[in-house]
mmCIF file of all heavy atoms in Angstrom:
data_model
loop_
_atom_site.group_PDB
_atom_site.id
_atom_site.type_symbol
_atom_site.label_atom_id
_atom_site.label_comp_id
_atom_site.label_asym_id
_atom_site.label_seq_id
_atom_site.Cartn_x
_atom_site.Cartn_y
_atom_site.Cartn_z
ATOM 1 N N LEU A 1 -27.080 -18.286 -15.749
ATOM 2 C CA LEU A 1 -26.771 -17.090 -14.973
ATOM 3 C C LEU A 1 -26.216 -16.020 -15.903
ATOM 4 O O LEU A 1 -25.197 -16.233 -16.570
ATOM 5 C CB LEU A 1 -25.757 -17.404 -13.869
ATOM 6 C CG LEU A 1 -25.393 -16.245 -12.943
ATOM 7 C CD1 LEU A 1 -26.606 -15.795 -12.120
ATOM 8 C CD2 LEU A 1 -24.238 -16.622 -12.018
ATOM 9 N N VAL A 2 -26.877 -14.875 -15.955
ATOM 10 C CA VAL A 2 -26.444 -13.738 -16.773
ATOM 11 C C VAL A 2 -25.593 -12.814 -15.896
ATOM 12 O O VAL A 2 -26.029 -12.419 -14.805
ATOM 13 C CB VAL A 2 -27.660 -12.963 -17.327
ATOM 14 C CG1 VAL A 2 -27.196 -11.754 -18.147
ATOM 15 C CG2 VAL A 2 -28.528 -13.883 -18.183
ATOM 16 N N ILE A 3 -24.401 -12.490 -16.351
ATOM 17 C CA ILE A 3 -23.517 -11.597 -15.600
ATOM 18 C C ILE A 3 -23.293 -10.338 -16.428
ATOM 19 O O ILE A 3 -22.728 -10.394 -17.523
ATOM 20 C CB ILE A 3 -22.186 -12.270 -15.242
ATOM 21 C CG1 ILE A 3 -22.456 -13.464 -14.324
ATOM 22 C CG2 ILE A 3 -21.235 -11.266 -14.586
ATOM 23 C CD1 ILE A 3 -21.215 -14.128 -13.772
ATOM 24 N N GLY A 4 -23.787 -9.209 -15.892
ATOM 25 C CA GLY A 4 -23.784 -7.968 -16.651
ATOM 26 C C GLY A 4 -22.763 -6.969 -16.161
ATOM 27 O O GLY A 4 -21.963 -7.237 -15.260
ATOM 28 N N ASP A 5 -22.819 -5.805 -16.771
ATOM 29 C CA ASP A 5 -21.959 -4.685 -16.398
ATOM 30 C C ASP A 5 -22.779 -3.725 -15.556
ATOM 31 O O ASP A 5 -24.012 -3.803 -15.507
ATOM 32 C CB ASP A 5 -21.428 -4.004 -17.661
ATOM 33 C CG ASP A 5 -20.344 -2.986 -17.378
ATOM 34 O OD1 ASP A 5 -19.806 -3.000 -16.253
ATOM 35 O OD2 ASP A 5 -20.046 -2.172 -18.272
ATOM 36 N N PHE A 6 -22.095 -2.767 -14.918
ATOM 37 C CA PHE A 6 -22.787 -1.879 -13.986
ATOM 38 C C PHE A 6 -23.105 -0.515 -14.576
ATOM 39 O O PHE A 6 -23.183 0.468 -13.852
ATOM 40 C CB PHE A 6 -22.001 -1.733 -12.676
ATOM 41 C CG PHE A 6 -20.504 -1.668 -12.848
ATOM 42 C CD1 PHE A 6 -19.891 -0.610 -13.489
ATOM 43 C CD2 PHE A 6 -19.714 -2.695 -12.368
ATOM 44 C CE1 PHE A 6 -18.525 -0.558 -13.649
ATOM 45 C CE2 PHE A 6 -18.341 -2.660 -12.521
ATOM 46 C CZ PHE A 6 -17.732 -1.589 -13.161
ATOM 47 N N ASP A 7 -23.298 -0.449 -15.902
ATOM 48 C CA ASP A 7 -23.771 0.794 -16.506
ATOM 49 C C ASP A 7 -25.101 0.537 -17.202
ATOM 50 O O ASP A 7 -25.662 -0.558 -17.122
ATOM 51 C CB ASP A 7 -22.732 1.385 -17.465
ATOM 52 C CG ASP A 7 -22.485 0.495 -18.681
ATOM 53 O OD1 ASP A 7 -23.119 -0.583 -18.794
ATOM 54 O OD2 ASP A 7 -21.646 0.877 -19.522
ATOM 55 N N CYS A 8 -25.617 1.560 -17.880
ATOM 56 C CA CYS A 8 -26.953 1.456 -18.484
ATOM 57 C C CYS A 8 -27.001 0.399 -19.582
ATOM 58 O O CYS A 8 -27.981 -0.333 -19.700
ATOM 59 C CB CYS A 8 -27.370 2.823 -19.032
ATOM 60 S SG CYS A 8 -29.079 2.887 -19.570
ATOM 61 N N ASP A 9 -25.950 0.312 -20.395
ATOM 62 C CA ASP A 9 -25.892 -0.724 -21.421
ATOM 63 C C ASP A 9 -25.917 -2.103 -20.761
ATOM 64 O O ASP A 9 -26.638 -3.010 -21.192
ATOM 65 C CB ASP A 9 -24.630 -0.537 -22.269
ATOM 66 C CG ASP A 9 -24.583 -1.456 -23.485
ATOM 67 O OD1 ASP A 9 -25.618 -2.047 -23.828
ATOM 68 O OD2 ASP A 9 -23.500 -1.559 -24.097
ATOM 69 N N GLY A 10 -25.148 -2.256 -19.695
ATOM 70 C CA GLY A 10 -25.148 -3.525 -18.981
ATOM 71 C C GLY A 10 -26.486 -3.844 -18.348
ATOM 72 O O GLY A 10 -26.938 -4.993 -18.359
ATOM 73 N N ALA A 11 -27.149 -2.825 -17.794
ATOM 74 C CA ALA A 11 -28.449 -3.035 -17.150
ATOM 75 C C ALA A 11 -29.510 -3.444 -18.163
ATOM 76 O O ALA A 11 -30.294 -4.370 -17.927
ATOM 77 C CB ALA A 11 -28.879 -1.768 -16.409
ATOM 78 N N THR A 12 -29.549 -2.756 -19.296
ATOM 79 C CA THR A 12 -30.544 -3.105 -20.323
ATOM 80 C C THR A 12 -30.222 -4.462 -20.928
ATOM 81 O O THR A 12 -31.136 -5.238 -21.233
ATOM 82 C CB THR A 12 -30.601 -2.027 -21.416
ATOM 83 O OG1 THR A 12 -29.276 -1.757 -21.918
ATOM 84 C CG2 THR A 12 -31.190 -0.733 -20.885
ATOM 85 N N SER A 13 -28.925 -4.774 -21.105
ATOM 86 C CA SER A 13 -28.533 -6.087 -21.634
ATOM 87 C C SER A 13 -28.978 -7.201 -20.687
ATOM 88 O O SER A 13 -29.483 -8.247 -21.126
ATOM 89 C CB SER A 13 -27.010 -6.150 -21.813
ATOM 90 O OG SER A 13 -26.541 -5.179 -22.709
ATOM 91 N N THR A 14 -28.790 -6.969 -19.396
ATOM 92 C CA THR A 14 -29.171 -7.974 -18.397
ATOM 93 C C THR A 14 -30.687 -8.154 -18.356
ATOM 94 O O THR A 14 -31.195 -9.290 -18.368
ATOM 95 C CB THR A 14 -28.645 -7.557 -17.011
ATOM 96 O OG1 THR A 14 -27.224 -7.392 -17.072
ATOM 97 C CG2 THR A 14 -28.991 -8.591 -15.963
ATOM 98 N N ALA A 15 -31.407 -7.040 -18.303
ATOM 99 C CA ALA A 15 -32.870 -7.124 -18.259
ATOM 100 C C ALA A 15 -33.422 -7.798 -19.510
ATOM 101 O O ALA A 15 -34.320 -8.652 -19.433
ATOM 102 C CB ALA A 15 -33.461 -5.719 -18.103
ATOM 103 N N LEU A 16 -32.884 -7.424 -20.672
ATOM 104 C CA LEU A 16 -33.323 -8.041 -21.925
ATOM 105 C C LEU A 16 -33.094 -9.552 -21.887
ATOM 106 O O LEU A 16 -33.983 -10.337 -22.251
ATOM 107 C CB LEU A 16 -32.558 -7.417 -23.094
ATOM 108 C CG LEU A 16 -32.647 -8.129 -24.449
ATOM 109 C CD1 LEU A 16 -34.080 -8.133 -24.963
ATOM 110 C CD2 LEU A 16 -31.712 -7.487 -25.463
ATOM 111 N N SER A 17 -31.915 -9.970 -21.444
ATOM 112 C CA SER A 17 -31.591 -11.406 -21.415
ATOM 113 C C SER A 17 -32.549 -12.167 -20.515
ATOM 114 O O SER A 17 -33.087 -13.216 -20.900
ATOM 115 C CB SER A 17 -30.155 -11.602 -20.925
ATOM 116 O OG SER A 17 -29.238 -10.895 -21.727
ATOM 117 N N VAL A 18 -32.757 -11.654 -19.311
ATOM 118 C CA VAL A 18 -33.620 -12.339 -18.340
ATOM 119 C C VAL A 18 -35.059 -12.406 -18.861
ATOM 120 O O VAL A 18 -35.696 -13.474 -18.834
ATOM 121 C CB VAL A 18 -33.548 -11.631 -16.977
ATOM 122 C CG1 VAL A 18 -34.606 -12.186 -16.022
ATOM 123 C CG2 VAL A 18 -32.148 -11.781 -16.371
ATOM 124 N N LEU A 19 -35.563 -11.275 -19.334
ATOM 125 C CA LEU A 19 -36.949 -11.233 -19.808
ATOM 126 C C LEU A 19 -37.156 -12.148 -21.010
ATOM 127 O O LEU A 19 -38.134 -12.916 -21.064
ATOM 128 C CB LEU A 19 -37.327 -9.800 -20.173
ATOM 129 C CG LEU A 19 -37.482 -8.824 -19.006
ATOM 130 C CD1 LEU A 19 -37.525 -7.388 -19.517
ATOM 131 C CD2 LEU A 19 -38.743 -9.133 -18.203
ATOM 132 N N ALA A 20 -36.259 -12.078 -21.997
ATOM 133 C CA ALA A 20 -36.443 -12.855 -23.226
ATOM 134 C C ALA A 20 -36.246 -14.352 -22.979
ATOM 135 O O ALA A 20 -37.008 -15.175 -23.518
ATOM 136 C CB ALA A 20 -35.480 -12.351 -24.301
ATOM 137 N N LEU A 21 -35.253 -14.716 -22.197
ATOM 138 C CA LEU A 21 -35.028 -16.137 -21.921
ATOM 139 C C LEU A 21 -36.215 -16.737 -21.168
ATOM 140 O O LEU A 21 -36.661 -17.858 -21.471
ATOM 141 C CB LEU A 21 -33.738 -16.327 -21.130
ATOM 142 C CG LEU A 21 -32.431 -16.127 -21.903
ATOM 143 C CD1 LEU A 21 -31.243 -16.108 -20.963
ATOM 144 C CD2 LEU A 21 -32.259 -17.219 -22.968
ATOM 145 N N ARG A 22 -36.727 -16.007 -20.211
ATOM 146 C CA ARG A 22 -37.910 -16.499 -19.491
ATOM 147 C C ARG A 22 -39.110 -16.593 -20.423
ATOM 148 O O ARG A 22 -39.886 -17.558 -20.348
ATOM 149 C CB ARG A 22 -38.212 -15.596 -18.302
ATOM 150 C CG ARG A 22 -37.203 -15.723 -17.158
ATOM 151 C CD ARG A 22 -37.459 -14.699 -16.054
ATOM 152 N NE ARG A 22 -36.503 -14.855 -14.951
ATOM 153 C CZ ARG A 22 -36.370 -13.991 -13.948
ATOM 154 N NH1 ARG A 22 -37.160 -12.912 -13.900
ATOM 155 N NH2 ARG A 22 -35.486 -14.198 -13.000
ATOM 156 N N ALA A 23 -39.260 -15.601 -21.295
ATOM 157 C CA ALA A 23 -40.388 -15.619 -22.240
ATOM 158 C C ALA A 23 -40.275 -16.782 -23.219
ATOM 159 O O ALA A 23 -41.290 -17.300 -23.702
ATOM 160 C CB ALA A 23 -40.451 -14.298 -22.997
ATOM 161 N N MET A 24 -39.040 -17.200 -23.513
ATOM 162 C CA MET A 24 -38.844 -18.329 -24.432
ATOM 163 C C MET A 24 -39.033 -19.670 -23.739
ATOM 164 O O MET A 24 -39.012 -20.711 -24.400
ATOM 165 C CB MET A 24 -37.444 -18.264 -25.057
ATOM 166 C CG MET A 24 -37.272 -17.146 -26.065
ATOM 167 S SD MET A 24 -35.643 -17.212 -26.855
ATOM 168 C CE MET A 24 -35.505 -15.543 -27.498
ATOM 169 N N GLY A 25 -39.173 -19.659 -22.410
ATOM 170 C CA GLY A 25 -39.451 -20.907 -21.706
ATOM 171 C C GLY A 25 -38.334 -21.404 -20.824
ATOM 172 O O GLY A 25 -38.451 -22.506 -20.256
ATOM 173 N N ALA A 26 -37.244 -20.628 -20.682
ATOM 174 C CA ALA A 26 -36.193 -21.037 -19.744
ATOM 175 C C ALA A 26 -36.718 -20.874 -18.320
ATOM 176 O O ALA A 26 -37.179 -19.793 -17.943
ATOM 177 C CB ALA A 26 -34.944 -20.184 -19.962
ATOM 178 N N ARG A 27 -36.638 -21.928 -17.517
ATOM 179 C CA ARG A 27 -37.255 -21.895 -16.195
ATOM 180 C C ARG A 27 -36.299 -21.437 -15.106
ATOM 181 O O ARG A 27 -36.738 -20.992 -14.045
ATOM 182 C CB ARG A 27 -37.798 -23.290 -15.847
ATOM 183 C CG ARG A 27 -38.925 -23.751 -16.776
ATOM 184 C CD ARG A 27 -39.736 -24.844 -16.164
ATOM 185 N NE ARG A 27 -38.915 -25.987 -15.710
ATOM 186 C CZ ARG A 27 -39.344 -26.911 -14.857
ATOM 187 N NH1 ARG A 27 -40.561 -26.823 -14.347
ATOM 188 N NH2 ARG A 27 -38.550 -27.916 -14.518
ATOM 189 N N GLN A 28 -35.004 -21.565 -15.336
ATOM 190 C CA GLN A 28 -34.024 -21.168 -14.320
ATOM 191 C C GLN A 28 -33.071 -20.121 -14.915
ATOM 192 O O GLN A 28 -32.052 -20.466 -15.504
ATOM 193 C CB GLN A 28 -33.210 -22.382 -13.855
ATOM 194 C CG GLN A 28 -34.019 -23.458 -13.162
ATOM 195 C CD GLN A 28 -33.094 -24.486 -12.526
ATOM 196 O OE1 GLN A 28 -32.506 -24.252 -11.469
ATOM 197 N NE2 GLN A 28 -32.943 -25.619 -13.189
ATOM 198 N N VAL A 29 -33.452 -18.876 -14.778
ATOM 199 C CA VAL A 29 -32.633 -17.771 -15.279
ATOM 200 C C VAL A 29 -32.480 -16.751 -14.153
ATOM 201 O O VAL A 29 -33.472 -16.258 -13.612
ATOM 202 C CB VAL A 29 -33.279 -17.081 -16.503
ATOM 203 C CG1 VAL A 29 -32.355 -15.980 -17.025
ATOM 204 C CG2 VAL A 29 -33.582 -18.085 -17.593
ATOM 205 N N ASP A 30 -31.253 -16.450 -13.811
ATOM 206 C CA ASP A 30 -30.956 -15.435 -12.808
ATOM 207 C C ASP A 30 -29.879 -14.507 -13.360
ATOM 208 O O ASP A 30 -29.287 -14.775 -14.417
ATOM 209 C CB ASP A 30 -30.481 -16.073 -11.500
ATOM 210 C CG ASP A 30 -31.582 -16.889 -10.828
ATOM 211 O OD1 ASP A 30 -32.627 -16.304 -10.507
ATOM 212 O OD2 ASP A 30 -31.384 -18.114 -10.640
ATOM 213 N N TYR A 31 -29.619 -13.427 -12.625
ATOM 214 C CA TYR A 31 -28.568 -12.510 -13.047
ATOM 215 C C TYR A 31 -27.714 -12.116 -11.858
ATOM 216 O O TYR A 31 -28.121 -12.223 -10.698
ATOM 217 C CB TYR A 31 -29.160 -11.256 -13.715
ATOM 218 C CG TYR A 31 -29.807 -10.283 -12.758
ATOM 219 C CD1 TYR A 31 -29.060 -9.282 -12.137
ATOM 220 C CD2 TYR A 31 -31.176 -10.346 -12.472
ATOM 221 C CE1 TYR A 31 -29.651 -8.387 -11.259
ATOM 222 C CE2 TYR A 31 -31.770 -9.461 -11.597
ATOM 223 C CZ TYR A 31 -31.002 -8.482 -10.997
ATOM 224 O OH TYR A 31 -31.584 -7.596 -10.110
ATOM 225 N N LEU A 32 -26.518 -11.671 -12.174
ATOM 226 C CA LEU A 32 -25.579 -11.190 -11.175
ATOM 227 C C LEU A 32 -24.806 -10.034 -11.798
ATOM 228 O O LEU A 32 -24.304 -10.162 -12.922
ATOM 229 C CB LEU A 32 -24.611 -12.304 -10.762
ATOM 230 C CG LEU A 32 -23.486 -11.955 -9.783
ATOM 231 C CD1 LEU A 32 -24.063 -11.539 -8.435
ATOM 232 C CD2 LEU A 32 -22.540 -13.142 -9.624
ATOM 233 N N VAL A 33 -24.758 -8.915 -11.104
ATOM 234 C CA VAL A 33 -23.980 -7.764 -11.576
ATOM 235 C C VAL A 33 -22.946 -7.434 -10.512
ATOM 236 O O VAL A 33 -23.304 -7.191 -9.358
ATOM 237 C CB VAL A 33 -24.871 -6.531 -11.848
ATOM 238 C CG1 VAL A 33 -24.024 -5.342 -12.263
ATOM 239 C CG2 VAL A 33 -25.875 -6.860 -12.936
ATOM 240 N N PRO A 34 -21.662 -7.418 -10.874
ATOM 241 C CA PRO A 34 -20.630 -7.134 -9.869
ATOM 242 C C PRO A 34 -20.808 -5.746 -9.269
ATOM 243 O O PRO A 34 -21.130 -4.791 -9.971
ATOM 244 C CB PRO A 34 -19.323 -7.205 -10.675
ATOM 245 C CG PRO A 34 -19.659 -7.924 -11.940
ATOM 246 C CD PRO A 34 -21.102 -7.662 -12.208
ATOM 247 N N ASN A 35 -20.613 -5.654 -7.969
ATOM 248 C CA ASN A 35 -20.502 -4.340 -7.344
ATOM 249 C C ASN A 35 -19.123 -3.791 -7.693
ATOM 250 O O ASN A 35 -18.103 -4.397 -7.388
ATOM 251 C CB ASN A 35 -20.654 -4.471 -5.827
ATOM 252 C CG ASN A 35 -20.608 -3.118 -5.125
ATOM 253 O OD1 ASN A 35 -19.635 -2.392 -5.217
ATOM 254 N ND2 ASN A 35 -21.683 -2.804 -4.424
ATOM 255 N N ARG A 36 -19.097 -2.637 -8.388
ATOM 256 C CA ARG A 36 -17.842 -2.126 -8.937
ATOM 257 C C ARG A 36 -16.805 -1.860 -7.849
ATOM 258 O O ARG A 36 -15.604 -1.902 -8.106
ATOM 259 C CB ARG A 36 -18.108 -0.861 -9.748
ATOM 260 C CG ARG A 36 -18.453 0.354 -8.926
ATOM 261 C CD ARG A 36 -19.049 1.472 -9.776
ATOM 262 N NE ARG A 36 -18.181 1.900 -10.854
ATOM 263 C CZ ARG A 36 -18.614 2.567 -11.924
ATOM 264 N NH1 ARG A 36 -19.892 2.859 -12.045
ATOM 265 N NH2 ARG A 36 -17.789 2.945 -12.851
ATOM 266 N N PHE A 37 -17.256 -1.596 -6.630
ATOM 267 C CA PHE A 37 -16.328 -1.252 -5.558
ATOM 268 C C PHE A 37 -15.700 -2.489 -4.918
ATOM 269 O O PHE A 37 -14.623 -2.420 -4.358
ATOM 270 C CB PHE A 37 -17.048 -0.419 -4.495
ATOM 271 C CG PHE A 37 -17.822 0.726 -5.085
ATOM 272 C CD1 PHE A 37 -19.203 0.745 -5.056
ATOM 273 C CD2 PHE A 37 -17.163 1.770 -5.711
ATOM 274 C CE1 PHE A 37 -19.918 1.792 -5.623
ATOM 275 C CE2 PHE A 37 -17.861 2.821 -6.273
ATOM 276 C CZ PHE A 37 -19.250 2.835 -6.232
ATOM 277 N N GLU A 38 -16.378 -3.630 -5.012
ATOM 278 C CA GLU A 38 -15.860 -4.848 -4.399
ATOM 279 C C GLU A 38 -15.149 -5.744 -5.398
ATOM 280 O O GLU A 38 -14.143 -6.379 -5.071
ATOM 281 C CB GLU A 38 -17.010 -5.645 -3.754
ATOM 282 C CG GLU A 38 -17.678 -4.949 -2.577
ATOM 283 C CD GLU A 38 -18.773 -5.813 -1.986
ATOM 284 O OE1 GLU A 38 -18.570 -7.039 -1.877
ATOM 285 O OE2 GLU A 38 -19.840 -5.274 -1.650
ATOM 286 N N TYR A 39 -15.667 -5.804 -6.638
ATOM 287 C CA TYR A 39 -15.180 -6.813 -7.574
ATOM 288 C C TYR A 39 -14.563 -6.236 -8.845
ATOM 289 O O TYR A 39 -13.960 -6.964 -9.623
ATOM 290 C CB TYR A 39 -16.325 -7.763 -7.964
ATOM 291 C CG TYR A 39 -16.884 -8.522 -6.797
ATOM 292 C CD1 TYR A 39 -18.088 -8.134 -6.210
ATOM 293 C CD2 TYR A 39 -16.212 -9.613 -6.267
ATOM 294 C CE1 TYR A 39 -18.609 -8.830 -5.123
ATOM 295 C CE2 TYR A 39 -16.722 -10.320 -5.192
ATOM 296 C CZ TYR A 39 -17.926 -9.916 -4.625
ATOM 297 O OH TYR A 39 -18.425 -10.609 -3.562
ATOM 298 N N GLY A 40 -14.744 -4.939 -9.078
ATOM 299 C CA GLY A 40 -14.201 -4.373 -10.302
ATOM 300 C C GLY A 40 -15.036 -4.733 -11.514
ATOM 301 O O GLY A 40 -16.173 -5.203 -11.408
ATOM 302 N N TYR A 41 -14.435 -4.557 -12.683
ATOM 303 C CA TYR A 41 -15.164 -4.699 -13.936
ATOM 304 C C TYR A 41 -14.994 -6.092 -14.525
ATOM 305 O O TYR A 41 -13.921 -6.684 -14.480
ATOM 306 C CB TYR A 41 -14.643 -3.652 -14.935
ATOM 307 C CG TYR A 41 -15.137 -3.865 -16.343
ATOM 308 C CD1 TYR A 41 -16.435 -3.489 -16.703
ATOM 309 C CD2 TYR A 41 -14.332 -4.448 -17.300
ATOM 310 C CE1 TYR A 41 -16.897 -3.698 -17.982
ATOM 311 C CE2 TYR A 41 -14.783 -4.653 -18.592
ATOM 312 C CZ TYR A 41 -16.071 -4.281 -18.929
ATOM 313 O OH TYR A 41 -16.530 -4.499 -20.195
ATOM 314 N N GLY A 42 -16.071 -6.597 -15.100
ATOM 315 C CA GLY A 42 -16.004 -7.811 -15.904
ATOM 316 C C GLY A 42 -16.137 -9.087 -15.098
ATOM 317 O O GLY A 42 -16.408 -9.104 -13.895
ATOM 318 N N LEU A 43 -15.929 -10.204 -15.801
ATOM 319 C CA LEU A 43 -16.031 -11.532 -15.201
ATOM 320 C C LEU A 43 -14.689 -11.864 -14.554
ATOM 321 O O LEU A 43 -13.826 -12.506 -15.156
ATOM 322 C CB LEU A 43 -16.393 -12.573 -16.267
ATOM 323 C CG LEU A 43 -16.645 -13.994 -15.764
ATOM 324 C CD1 LEU A 43 -17.940 -14.052 -14.973
ATOM 325 C CD2 LEU A 43 -16.686 -14.978 -16.924
ATOM 326 N N THR A 44 -14.520 -11.431 -13.330
ATOM 327 C CA THR A 44 -13.278 -11.692 -12.597
ATOM 328 C C THR A 44 -13.362 -13.054 -11.910
ATOM 329 O O THR A 44 -14.458 -13.595 -11.702
ATOM 330 C CB THR A 44 -13.050 -10.608 -11.528
ATOM 331 O OG1 THR A 44 -14.132 -10.652 -10.594
ATOM 332 C CG2 THR A 44 -12.979 -9.222 -12.159
ATOM 333 N N PRO A 45 -12.216 -13.630 -11.532
ATOM 334 C CA PRO A 45 -12.264 -14.890 -10.773
ATOM 335 C C PRO A 45 -13.080 -14.768 -9.489
ATOM 336 O O PRO A 45 -13.746 -15.731 -9.070
ATOM 337 C CB PRO A 45 -10.782 -15.159 -10.467
ATOM 338 C CG PRO A 45 -10.040 -14.491 -11.594
ATOM 339 C CD PRO A 45 -10.833 -13.260 -11.908
ATOM 340 N N GLU A 46 -13.051 -13.576 -8.862
ATOM 341 C CA GLU A 46 -13.830 -13.366 -7.637
ATOM 342 C C GLU A 46 -15.327 -13.445 -7.915
ATOM 343 O O GLU A 46 -16.094 -13.989 -7.110
ATOM 344 C CB GLU A 46 -13.477 -12.015 -7.028
ATOM 345 C CG GLU A 46 -12.059 -11.913 -6.497
ATOM 346 C CD GLU A 46 -11.022 -11.658 -7.585
ATOM 347 O OE1 GLU A 46 -11.416 -11.391 -8.744
ATOM 348 O OE2 GLU A 46 -9.818 -11.752 -7.285
ATOM 349 N N ILE A 47 -15.750 -12.900 -9.059
ATOM 350 C CA ILE A 47 -17.168 -12.972 -9.421
ATOM 351 C C ILE A 47 -17.563 -14.411 -9.746
ATOM 352 O O ILE A 47 -18.665 -14.860 -9.405
ATOM 353 C CB ILE A 47 -17.464 -12.039 -10.617
ATOM 354 C CG1 ILE A 47 -17.536 -10.600 -10.133
ATOM 355 C CG2 ILE A 47 -18.767 -12.406 -11.301
ATOM 356 C CD1 ILE A 47 -18.648 -10.333 -9.149
ATOM 357 N N VAL A 48 -16.675 -15.131 -10.397
ATOM 358 C CA VAL A 48 -16.955 -16.535 -10.699
ATOM 359 C C VAL A 48 -17.119 -17.328 -9.408
ATOM 360 O O VAL A 48 -18.031 -18.170 -9.277
ATOM 361 C CB VAL A 48 -15.832 -17.137 -11.567
ATOM 362 C CG1 VAL A 48 -16.008 -18.653 -11.699
ATOM 363 C CG2 VAL A 48 -15.829 -16.484 -12.945
#
């Protein structure tokens, strides 16, 4: 599970991770980006 940030750097980082990992043969790859209004920034306990 890739957990990104809610800006352009975070979006491109997340897309790159998902695309490249799948291209390398990872079969179970998903992503989650916190909604800034509900969870705030970063890997918070609520996001976990």
Side-chain angles (χ1 to χ4, degrees):
L1 183 65
V2 178
I3 297 186
D5 190 15
F6 38 66
D7 65 0
C8 189
D9 188 14
T12 52
S13 300
T14 303
L16 167 63
S17 303
V18 171
L19 290 166
L21 287 170
R22 289 174 179 170
M24 289 185 199
R27 296 200 306 163
Q28 296 190 77
V29 183
D30 294 300
Y31 74 88
L32 176 64
V33 177
N35 183 300
R36 72 195 302 160
F37 311 112
E38 295 181 40
Y39 298 102
Y41 169 78
L43 185 70
T44 62
E46 293 80 9
I47 283 297
V48 171

